């Protein structure tokens, strides 16, 4: 069966520090992958999506970037975090007509 | 651009009773999917139910059912025999049908702002 992993589960980082969040999927190949951010427990905002290795599309301009170095790995990064980057980050993969989500990473920028 | 609106920031229901969560959407597409997701306190997003726009029959999953009104662009979720474990934030979501290799939708979901459901014992 297919599963999706995210780590770390929780992260506290100072302003100006770098960021790397990882998402991996098991049990499928060449999945469409997505990064969402949820701020203040409301609404999910799509940040990036990827349809294959090295293919990244950005939905909104921001301080973050994404990469897909392997078929089932999707990474969210930042060179210098801002306070506004705090939130809950969810990775998802497209399955049939829907999307299935990972457990998420709670990021607090201090 | 497609938009999804959930007009009820919070709802409450007594255990064992029925509650309906509202959702409206705006699109110029004729073929699409609609979803309800549940986000409990753990914050894991869980797919509750899915509706294909081309199907007139409303989707059902055990105690969960939808009222899909395509002309009105309305997609409500009914939870019957509410249980304490149903307490969560519920999100309505929209997705265009993928257009294949030349398409641009890539399965992206557009979410509403969510409705917090409280279940009273």
């Amino acid at each position: 069966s297919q599963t999706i992993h995210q780590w770390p589960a929780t992260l506290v980082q100072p302003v100006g520090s770098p960021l790397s969040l990882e998402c991996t999927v098991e049990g499928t190949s060449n999945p469409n992958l997505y990064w969402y951010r949820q701020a203040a427990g409301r609404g999910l905002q799509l940040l990036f999506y990827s349809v294959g290795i090295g293919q990244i599309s950005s939905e909104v301009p921001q301080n973050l970037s994404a990469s897909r170095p392997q078929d089932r790995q999707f990474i969210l990064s930042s060179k210098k975090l801002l306070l506004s980057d705090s939130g809950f980050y969810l990775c998802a993969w497209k399955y049939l007509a829907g999307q299935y989500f990972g457990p998420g990473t709670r990021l607090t920028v201090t | 651009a497609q938009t999804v609106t959930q007009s009820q920031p919070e709802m409450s229901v007594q255990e064992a009773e029925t509650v309906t969560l509202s959702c409206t959407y705006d699109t110029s597409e004729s073929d699409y999917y609609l979803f309800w997701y549940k986000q409990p306190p753990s914050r894991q997003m869980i797919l509750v139910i899915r509706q294909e726009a081309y199907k007139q029959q409303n989707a059902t999953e055990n105690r969960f059912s939808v009222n899909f009104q395509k002309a009105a662009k309305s997609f409500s979720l009914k939870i019957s025999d509410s249980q304490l474990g149903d307490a969560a934030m519920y999100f309505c979501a929209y997705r265009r049908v993928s257009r294949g290799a030349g398409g641009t939708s890539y399965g992206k979901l557009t979410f509403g702002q969510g409705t917090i459901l409280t279940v009273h014992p």
Side-chain angles (χ1 to χ4, degrees):
Chain A
S1 63
Q2 299 86 359
T3 55
I4 182 167
H5 303 279
Q6 287 187 245
W7 62 86
T10 304
L11 190 60
V12 180
Q13 292 283 94
V15 169
S17 64
L19 173 74
S20 181
L21 303 181
E22 188 166 344
C23 169
T24 58
V25 181
E26 295 179 358
T28 186
S29 60
N30 196 31
N32 284 9
L33 296 173
Y34 310 83
W35 277 112
Y36 291 88
R37 177 169 59 200
Q38 184 180 31
R42 287 277 181 185
L44 278 72
Q45 179 186 38
L46 179 64
L47 302 177
F48 300 95
Y49 65 91
S50 172
V51 299
I53 295 173
Q55 301 179 64
I56 307 295
S57 295
S58 174
E59 284 292 293
V60 294
Q62 59 207 313
N63 184 45
L64 302 169
S65 61
S67 62
R68 182 141 173 208
Q70 300 181 39
D71 181 44
R72 287 172 284 181
Q73 184 184 35
F74 201 22
I75 296 173
L76 185 69
S77 304
S78 174
K79 292 182 180 179
K80 291 185 178 182
L81 282 168
L82 306 173
L83 286 174
S84 58
D85 291 324
S86 292
F88 190 64
Y89 289 82
L90 287 154
C91 180
W93 67 282
K94 179 173 171 287
Y95 176 69
L96 298 178
Q99 287 184 15
Y100 287 88
F101 288 80
T105 295
R106 186 185 306 273
L107 172 66
T108 303
V109 182
T110 59
Chain B
Q2 293 82 15
T3 59
V4 178
T5 303
Q6 293 178 248
S7 59
Q8 305 156 317
E10 299 183 21
M11 291 285 285
S12 64
V13 63
Q14 290 293 131
E15 196 175 7
E17 294 188 348
T18 296
V19 63
T20 299
L21 308 184
S22 301
C23 173
T24 58
Y25 58 95
D26 186 25
T27 183
S28 58
E29 302 285 329
S30 60
D31 201 9
Y32 48 86
Y33 300 100
L34 296 165
F35 307 86
W36 279 98
Y37 280 88
K38 170 185 176 182
Q39 188 179 41
S42 67
R43 304 195 77 173
Q44 173 83 53
M45 292 287 284
I46 302 166
L47 178 63
V48 175
I49 200 165
R50 180 184 75 213
Q51 175 78 43
E52 291 90 342
Y54 68 87
K55 290 186 178 179
Q56 293 185 339
Q57 186 174 5
N58 290 323
T60 62
E61 286 288 341
N62 301 313
R63 297 182 295 108
F64 298 87
S65 62
V66 299
N67 183 5
F68 173 49
Q69 300 291 326
K70 191 173 184 179
K73 296 181 182 175
S74 170
F75 183 61
S76 61
L77 175 69
K78 185 172 80 171
I79 305 174
S80 304
D81 186 25
S82 296
Q83 300 176 359
L84 295 178
D86 295 333
M89 180 172 286
Y90 286 81
F91 290 96
C92 179
Y94 166 98
R95 206 208 100 189
R96 289 175 61 189
V97 174
S98 297
R99 303 296 180 198
T104 58
S105 70
Y106 298 121
K108 294 184 289 184
L109 290 177
T110 301
F111 285 88
Q113 288 302 300
T115 298
I116 298 172
L117 177 66
T118 303
V119 181
H120 299 289

